[in-house]
């Protein structure tokens, strides 16, 4: 990384060079995954009028500019340079630290304003923050998949499958997973994986939607694993009214930028909020069982999805508690619903009962059980599809 320091005071330039040399020794700048390079430090005795020439000739990554109470015309010079070189980071050393002055310099593209003369902590801290921004800007933008689980009828096991798939994706396939409980009035998804109390709920996030970012979202979740968080439903049903349809898109946009998979546990209630969430889902998993009431309600639900314009490719039917000896076969379900069954989950009542009662995922409780293997199969398939798509994008843009 090239750092250029411009000041009319040689003492400040000498101090900056010494501090940067110390920083260079302890915090080498990483240019690639395994390639490291020391800083190239340029010191120029001059003022803001030299900024354009330095930017054009030396192409620095970071500019340290010592400035007196610069006038409007000189700030315009700096504004022109930052407009022409948008990737150039500028840290200004200002004797005046008034709020009005800070606003003025920020408007012309200055990232940080430090008091002069700079202290070791303030200067090296600002440079470190700039390096972190460069690293983050160089990382590929995450675009996670949204998977929505919805019961065709009460008691289908949709929440059990959603929570256990989330855990398996994180624990077995090393994916970053966010589980959001959209069963707003009666949601209890977190209890399937942990007895920890949620630090916040989806209603709390909606209430502060204006400040939602990746860090705020993560801090609102129960961290079941380092790479698995649950955003819980409101603890009081009346708080469900605080979540509006316009809150859904910001939540999911932030979630997909920070997680590989965003799993939504949708309750049976079809309203504007749940439809907004389903609209954004890449895949919808209606969950049913091998009985006529389930199949009847599944038909109604699929008809509703058809009226919403959802293609069949978006829908993945899951038959839970599958019994191959049942009078109603998978072919019967396919022929009645005119949708292919994506997966069948075997009936493993004793394991499921123990898992639910203790709040322990089946992958952790009984990894070799038939139901755990079935969920692991779905997890592996989703992860492989995600990896193939990631490699395709890298090849396309390489």
């Amino acid at each position: 990384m090239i750092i250029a320091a411009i000041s009319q005071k040689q003492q400040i330039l000498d101090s900056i060079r010494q501090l940067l040399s110390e920083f260079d020794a302890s915090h080498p700048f990483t240019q690639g995954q395994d390639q490291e390079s020391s800083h190239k430090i340029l010191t120029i005795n001059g003022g803001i009028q030299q900024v354009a020439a330095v930017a054009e000739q030396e192409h620095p990554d970071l500019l340290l500019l010592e400035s007196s109470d610069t006038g409007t015309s000189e700030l315009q010079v700096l504004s022109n340079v930052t407009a022409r070189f948008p990737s150039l980071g500028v840290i200004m050393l200002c004797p005046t630290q008034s709020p009005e002055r800070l606003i003025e310099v920020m408007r012309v593209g200055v990232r940080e304003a430090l008091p002069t003369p700079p202290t070791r902590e303030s200067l090296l801290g600002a440079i470190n923050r700039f390096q972190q921004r460069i690293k983050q800007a160089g990382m590929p933008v995450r675009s996670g998949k949204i998977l929505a689980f919805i019961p065709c009828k009460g008691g289908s096991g949709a929440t059990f499958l959603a929570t256990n798939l989330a855990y398996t994706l994180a624990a077995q396939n090393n994916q970053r997973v966010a589980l959001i409980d959209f069963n707003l009035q009666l949601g209890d998804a977190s209890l399937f994986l942990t007895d920890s109390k949620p630090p916040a709920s989806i209603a709390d996030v909606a209430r502060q939607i204006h400040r939602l970012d990746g860090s705020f979202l993560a801090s609102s979740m129960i961290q079941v694993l380092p790479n698995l968080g649950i955003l819980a439903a409101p603890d009081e049903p009346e708080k469900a009214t605080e979540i509006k349809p316009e809150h859904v898109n910001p939540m999911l946009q932030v979630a997909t930028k920070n997680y590989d998979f965003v799993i939504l546990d949708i309750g049976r209630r079809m309203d504007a909020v749940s439809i907004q969430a389903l609209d954004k889902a890449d895949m919808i998993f209606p969950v049913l069982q091998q009985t006529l009431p389930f199949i009847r309600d599944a038909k109604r639900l699929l008809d509703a999805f058809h009226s919403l314009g959802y293609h069949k490719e978006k829908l993945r039917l899951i038959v839970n508690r599958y019994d191959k000896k049942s009078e109603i076969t998978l072919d019967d379900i396919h022929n009645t619903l005119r949708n292919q069954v994506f997966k069948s989950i075997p009936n493993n009542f004793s394991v499921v009962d123990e898992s639910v009662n203790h709040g322990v995922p089946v992958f952790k409780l009984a990894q070799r059980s038939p139901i755990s293997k079935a969920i692991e199969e779905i997890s592996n398939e989703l992860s492989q599809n995600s990896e193939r798509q990631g490699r395709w994008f890298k090849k396309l843009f390489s």
Side-chain angles (χ1 to χ4, degrees):
M1 181 170 73
I2 302 175
I3 301 177
I6 302 177
S7 174
Q8 294 179 344
K9 300 173 184 176
Q10 188 61 44
Q11 183 179 0
I12 288 181
L13 293 176
D14 293 341
S15 176
I16 290 174
R17 178 174 285 278
Q18 181 179 353
L19 292 174
L20 292 183
S21 297
E22 295 175 4
F23 182 79
D24 188 39
S26 58
H27 297 81
F29 180 72
T30 303
Q31 291 185 325
Q33 186 174 355
D34 299 310
Q35 179 184 6
E36 293 184 348
S37 173
S38 60
H39 300 109
K40 179 180 179 181
I41 303 170
L42 307 173
T43 54
I44 298 96
N45 196 313
I48 202 167
Q49 298 298 337
Q50 277 72 45
V51 170
V54 171
E56 292 182 9
Q57 296 175 27
E58 303 295 343
H59 303 288
D61 300 290
L62 179 62
L63 176 67
L64 303 177
L65 178 63
E66 191 270 329
S67 173
S68 58
D69 290 336
T70 310
T72 303
S73 60
E74 291 180 314
L75 286 179
Q76 187 59 47
V77 172
L78 184 57
S79 178
N80 294 338
V81 172
T82 55
R84 290 176 57 198
F85 301 92
S87 62
L88 173 64
V90 181
I91 297 175
M92 183 172 282
L93 312 178
C94 301
T96 302
Q97 292 284 305
S98 67
E100 294 78 14
R101 182 60 177 171
L102 295 178
I103 291 174
E104 284 182 353
V105 298
M106 294 294 181
R107 283 175 176 169
V108 298
V110 175
R111 291 188 180 274
E112 293 199 40
L114 305 179
T116 184
T119 64
R120 182 181 187 278
E121 290 75 16
S122 64
L123 181 61
L124 299 189
I127 293 174
N128 187 51
R129 287 189 291 273
F130 175 71
Q131 286 191 329
Q132 293 302 318
R133 281 194 291 266
I134 291 179
K135 291 178 182 179
Q136 291 174 1
M139 293 179 180
V141 177
R142 191 185 300 272
S143 181
K145 293 293 184 183
I146 301 176
L147 314 177
F149 282 75
I150 184 169
C152 295
K153 185 178 177 61
S156 69
T159 298
F160 174 84
L161 293 177
T163 52
N164 278 271
L165 177 62
Y167 188 92
T168 305
L169 280 167
Q172 173 71 8
N173 299 102
N174 199 31
Q175 304 288 333
R176 281 182 52 82
V177 183
L179 174 64
I180 303 179
D181 194 344
F182 269 100
N183 189 354
L184 300 179
Q185 293 187 324
L186 300 171
D188 58 357
S190 62
L191 298 179
F192 284 70
L193 299 180
T194 179
D195 59 359
S196 299
K197 184 177 180 180
S201 75
I202 189 173
D204 298 312
V205 172
R207 203 177 300 117
Q208 303 181 69
I209 199 70
H210 60 281
R211 59 177 290 239
L212 179 62
D213 58 13
S215 297
F216 180 56
L217 179 62
S219 67
S220 303
M221 292 179 165
I222 306 173
Q223 288 301 134
V224 179
L225 295 172
N227 57 336
L228 169 60
I230 301 176
L231 183 60
D235 53 356
E236 299 175 11
E238 58 269 21
K239 291 183 179 179
T241 59
E242 298 180 20
I243 297 96
K244 308 297 182 184
E246 58 267 24
H247 295 147
V248 176
N249 285 353
M251 285 186 197
L252 298 184
Q253 286 173 0
V254 171
T256 54
K257 285 183 173 65
N258 290 274
Y259 295 89
D260 301 306
F261 289 95
V262 180
I263 296 182
L264 313 180
D265 182 25
I266 308 288
R268 288 199 67 205
R269 183 175 178 178
M270 292 284 286
D271 55 19
V273 172
S274 60
I275 290 173
Q276 190 75 11
L278 291 167
D279 285 345
K280 295 298 180 182
D282 296 287
M283 299 179 193
I284 299 174
F285 296 86
V287 181
L288 70 152
Q289 296 181 19
Q290 291 166 282
T291 67
L292 287 177
F294 270 101
I295 296 173
R296 180 193 60 202
D297 284 6
K299 181 69 167 60
R300 292 172 177 172
L301 184 63
L302 294 179
D303 288 344
F305 287 159
H306 178 73
S307 67
L308 291 170
Y310 299 163
H311 295 291
K312 283 188 177 182
E313 292 74 16
K314 184 172 180 172
L315 307 177
R316 302 286 195 277
L317 283 180
I318 293 182
V319 175
N320 193 24
R321 300 190 67 178
Y322 170 66
D323 181 1
K324 62 182 180 181
K325 296 180 181 179
S326 172
E327 292 183 10
I328 299 175
T329 67
L330 296 181
D331 286 338
D332 293 333
I333 295 174
H334 172 233
N335 293 332
T336 302
L337 301 181
R338 297 184 180 180
N339 273 81
Q340 190 68 42
V341 174
F342 172 63
K343 295 291 180 184
S344 58
I345 309 298
N347 189 8
N348 204 173
F349 178 78
S350 60
V351 171
V352 173
D353 187 55
E354 185 177 357
S355 170
V356 173
N357 286 336
H358 291 86
V360 178
V362 291
F363 182 83
K364 187 176 180 180
L365 179 69
Q367 187 174 351
R368 296 186 178 182
S369 64
I371 192 167
S372 182
K373 289 181 179 179
I375 294 173
E376 188 175 346
E377 182 181 329
I378 298 174
S379 176
N380 291 337
E381 184 173 333
L382 292 171
S383 296
Q384 290 168 5
N385 289 341
S386 179
E387 290 171 4
R388 282 197 295 267
Q389 186 181 52
R391 289 195 296 268
W392 182 82
F393 273 109
K394 286 182 180 178
K395 184 177 181 180
L396 180 64
F397 293 105
S398 61

